[in-house]
């Protein structure tokens, strides 16, 4: 019988990889090693969800001061001190990184703090030259933002650079209309940067429910962001003073202190040795896996963003856990990728679960219930914040197929609504739930008549 150094070698210390390693080691007694070339915690902890959300809080405190003044507080609002925030952010990320490391090591996982590549179906090559064998290899290398050519040599930014900037720029061009572009535009505008968000398509947040798209677009404008849709870059140049000059399809030429490309992410598979090991990837370079996260090479599995299924941390965690239970726990578990809720941390936030109106209509007759209004907290001070609550209901089964919320705290609200939608709740189930008053989300159980 072949003797391997480890039962499992995980490449990548992010959300998916760490969960898989911990569960395999602590719950199923596997001998596990892991390699991480950068920092433990991966995109979510180091340069994604966590620092982004902390910046959302920071921006929110600025707005809260203005609201507080309108409510009667005597407020003296200064400028946002990025250095002070950054100092605290670095400390927090260090804390979280060490928790990730401690938890993995506490579960018995050996961590190699260096790059690892695949040499063959059972062998990993470490950057220091060592070769390590394992019965199973898990690819959990995540994804990375990129700048499309020909703009990739100018020193423009991706989301990775935001958390490392030394000071806030005065003005910024944000390119893209997806999660990252919308969130970053909102956050940076809220911290005092003059943001222009440019999107090539008809409306931002492509793929989201149309009412959500329009509501968020209006909110971006209300924040003071110059939102330009149906507009793309024609040229970008770096000026001698380091600023950028951008020309767009609308014929405008403008200068910005910096440019953020939030134009998508790609899987981290370059130079990983997949070809040598014979692991199949798709056209975008993502590892192809089956429902159990197994690649075409039986000993090699992959979870998280590197597989390009749903690029969300909690999904990667589920996939990592399911992999460990399947391979080491003797219980095959396929992750259910249906009806996964998500939130875009714009200001206000957008939360969504289930089908959009357009997707539901394509399947059959639907009823749409919707309320758009200024929440009490905003109406009192004539603030512009508006909320949207929308239910997409199947006209035949009465099931709520989709729930879409744009409101302060929508990320929190959609988590709860997602339980009902996942359980198959009907509109009548929502209706017989007594409202919690006075709240914004009571609208969800008070929507009486379909709007269409
Ligand atoms: P998205 O795919 O969401 O958005 C990419 C955007 O860039 C789209 O608007 C796209 O336009 C545009 N784009 C792509 N290529 C070009 C180009 N060459 N020129 C101009 N525009 C271009 O990617 P993100 O990077 O924003 O986010 C990646 C994923 O990470 C998300 O899909 C999400 O799953 C996850 N994420 C989740 C978050 C959360 O849960 N809150 C936060 C951040 C990320 P078009 O629509 O026309 O293709």
């Amino acid at each position: 019988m072949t003797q391997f150094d480890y039962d499992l070698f995980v490449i990548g210390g992010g959300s998916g990889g760490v969960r898989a390693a911990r569960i395999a080691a602590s719950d199923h007694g596997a001998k596990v090693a892991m390699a991480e070339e950068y920092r433990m915690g991966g995109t979510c902890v180091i340069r994604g969800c966590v620092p982004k959300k902390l910046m959302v809080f920071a921006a929110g405190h600025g707005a809260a001061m203005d609201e507080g003044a309108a409510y009667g507080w005597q407020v003296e609002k200064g400028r946002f001190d990025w250095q002070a925030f950054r100092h605290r952010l670095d400390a927090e990320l260090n804390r979280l990184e060490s928790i990730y490391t401690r938890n993995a090591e506490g579960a018995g996982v050996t961590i190699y703090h260096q790059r690892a590549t695949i040499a063959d179906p059972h062998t990993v090559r470490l950057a220091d030259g060592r070769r390590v064998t394992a019965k199973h290899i898990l690819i959990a290398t995540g994804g990375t933002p990129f700048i499309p050519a020909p703009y990739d040599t100018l020193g423009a930014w991706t989301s990775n650079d935001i958390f490392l900037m030394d000071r806030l720029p005065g003005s910024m061009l944000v390119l893209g209309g997806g999660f990252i572009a919308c969130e970053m535009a909102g956050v940076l505008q809220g911290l005092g940067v003059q943001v222009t968000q440019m999107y090539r398509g008809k409306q931002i947040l492509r793929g989201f429910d149309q009412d959500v798209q329009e509501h968020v677009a209006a909110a971006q404008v209300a924040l003071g962001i110059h939102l330009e849709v149906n507009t793309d870059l024609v040229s970008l140049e770096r000026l001698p003073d380091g600023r950028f000059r951008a020309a767009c399809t609308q014929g405008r030429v403008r200068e910005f202190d910096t440019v953020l490309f939030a134009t998508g992410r790609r899987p981290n598979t370059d130079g990983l040795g997949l070809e040598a090991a014979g692991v199949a990837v798709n056209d975008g370079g993502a590892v192809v896996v089956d429902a159990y996260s197994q690649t075409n090479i039986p000993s090699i599995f992959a979870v998280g963003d590197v597989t390009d299924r749903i690029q969300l941390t909690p999904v990667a965690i589920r996939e990592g856990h399911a992999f460990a239970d399947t391979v080491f726990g003797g219980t095959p578990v396929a992750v259910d990728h249906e009806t996964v809720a998500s939130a875009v941390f714009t200001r206000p936030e957008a939360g969504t679960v289930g089908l959009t109106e357009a997707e539901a209509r394509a399947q059959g007759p639907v009823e749409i219930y919707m309320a758009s209004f200024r929440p009490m907290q905003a109406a009192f001070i004539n603030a512009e914040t508006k909320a949207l609550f929308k239910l997409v209901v199947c006209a035949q089964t009465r099931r709520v197929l989709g729930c879409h919320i744009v409101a302060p705290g929508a990320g929190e609200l959609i988590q709860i609504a997602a339980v009902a939608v996942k359980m198959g709740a009907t509109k009548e189930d929502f209706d017989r739930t007594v409202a919690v008053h006075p709240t914004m989300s009571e609208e969800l159980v008070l929507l009486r008549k379909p709007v269409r």
Side-chain angles (χ1 to χ4, degrees):
M1 208 176 79
T2 319
Q3 202 55 42
F4 296 107
D5 296 327
Y6 295 99
D7 299 316
L8 171 65
F9 196 102
V10 180
I11 307 180
S15 306
V18 169
R19 174 59 69 96
R22 284 179 57 193
I23 299 302
S26 64
D27 287 17
H28 305 307
K31 188 179 178 197
V32 181
M34 160 177 281
E36 169 55 56
E37 65 178 329
Y38 185 54
R39 295 178 66 181
M40 287 291 289
T43 296
C44 171
V45 176
I46 304 298
R47 44 194 177 189
C49 319
V50 171
K52 178 273 307 289
K53 187 84 189 271
L54 293 169
M55 284 177 73
V56 172
F57 290 139
H61 285 301
M65 274 185 268
D66 297 333
E67 286 185 12
Y71 265 86
W73 286 96
Q74 292 181 356
V75 175
E76 210 176 308
K77 189 180 172 189
R79 283 170 64 85
F80 178 67
D81 183 348
W82 170 259
Q83 302 282 354
F85 174 80
R86 169 81 200 275
H87 187 67
R88 201 173 262 277
L89 179 67
D90 288 347
E92 178 64 359
L93 299 189
N94 287 341
R95 187 180 74 85
L96 295 174
E97 184 183 7
S98 60
I99 290 174
Y100 260 72
T101 307
R102 213 168 44 238
N103 285 348
E105 287 178 343
V109 177
T110 302
I111 302 176
Y112 296 94
H113 295 276
Q114 55 182 303
R115 182 168 170 80
T117 54
I118 299 175
D120 68 43
H122 291 288
T123 310
V124 162
R125 189 184 297 113
L126 295 172
D128 65 11
R130 274 180 288 174
R131 291 165 75 88
V132 180
T133 60
K135 188 165 183 209
H136 297 95
I137 296 171
L138 179 68
I139 305 166
T141 49
T144 189
F146 69 101
I147 298 178
Y151 308 119
D152 49 344
T153 55
L154 297 170
W157 289 359
T158 68
S159 54
N160 286 352
D161 300 294
I162 294 292
F163 311 115
L164 299 173
M165 62 189 173
D166 293 328
R167 58 191 171 85
L168 283 179
S171 63
M172 180 182 279
L173 172 63
V174 175
L175 286 150
F179 276 80
I180 296 180
C182 291
E183 291 180 344
M184 281 301 164
V187 161
L188 291 161
Q189 180 76 25
L191 296 181
V193 180
Q194 179 53 62
V195 175
T196 299
Q197 183 182 358
M198 191 184 282
Y199 174 52
R200 63 183 179 181
K202 203 164 70 171
Q203 190 52 282
I204 56 171
L205 292 179
R206 183 167 63 83
F208 281 71
D209 186 273
Q210 195 180 336
D211 286 302
V212 171
Q213 294 180 318
E214 286 166 9
H215 204 96
V216 172
Q220 298 286 81
V221 172
L223 285 179
I225 295 166
H226 297 307
L227 176 63
E228 299 172 359
V229 296
N230 286 317
T231 311
D232 207 354
L233 261 193
V234 176
S235 71
L236 185 66
E237 62 176 306
R238 195 84 192 251
L239 301 171
D241 63 1
R243 302 179 80 228
F244 291 82
R245 180 179 292 144
C248 70
T249 45
Q250 307 286 349
R252 284 186 295 270
V253 178
R254 282 159 296 173
E255 291 179 9
F256 300 94
D257 286 347
T258 191
V259 177
L260 172 70
F261 279 84
T263 45
R265 302 173 59 85
R266 61 179 165 220
N268 268 329
T269 48
D270 282 358
L272 201 58
L274 299 185
E275 230 167 82
V279 176
V281 295
N282 69 15
D283 289 346
V287 179
V288 179
V289 289
D290 67 10
Y292 299 97
S293 297
Q294 190 169 28
T295 71
N296 59 315
I297 304 298
S299 59
I300 302 182
F301 292 70
V303 296
D305 287 3
V306 76
T307 63
D308 199 17
R309 286 177 278 188
I310 302 179
Q311 293 181 40
L312 295 173
T313 294
V315 174
I317 291 172
R318 285 277 166 119
E319 290 168 356
H321 200 129
F323 154 79
D325 286 346
T326 301
V327 175
F328 299 101
T331 339
V333 184
V335 172
D336 176 4
H337 289 93
E338 291 297 314
T339 322
V340 173
S342 67
V344 190
F345 292 95
T346 40
R347 300 189 308 118
E349 300 168 3
T352 185
V353 63
L355 302 183
T356 65
E357 181 178 341
E359 287 167 345
R361 276 193 195 288
Q363 294 183 3
V366 290
E367 284 181 1
I368 304 301
Y369 295 83
M370 191 161 73
S372 174
F373 57 96
R374 260 197 311 175
M376 185 193 223
Q377 189 178 341
F380 181 66
I381 52 171
N382 252 330
E384 292 213 46
T385 309
K386 277 185 78 183
L388 172 78
F389 287 83
K390 176 171 179 177
L391 295 179
V392 178
V393 178
C394 173
Q396 276 146 10
T397 64
R398 307 296 301 152
R399 270 185 67 170
V400 175
L401 302 176
C403 175
H404 308 278
I405 304 173
V406 185
E412 306 290 344
L413 301 178
I414 205 70
Q415 179 68 85
I416 312 296
V419 177
V421 175
K422 187 79 184 164
M423 285 177 75
T426 62
K427 177 67 171 63
E428 285 62 39
D429 291 325
F430 274 67
D431 291 348
R432 64 194 173 82
T433 306
V434 176
V436 177
H437 184 74
T439 64
M440 287 179 301
S441 50
E442 63 181 310
E443 285 303 321
L444 278 179
V445 298
L446 297 174
L447 295 164
R448 287 284 160 250
K449 288 209 169 81
V451 293
R452 49 187 178 263

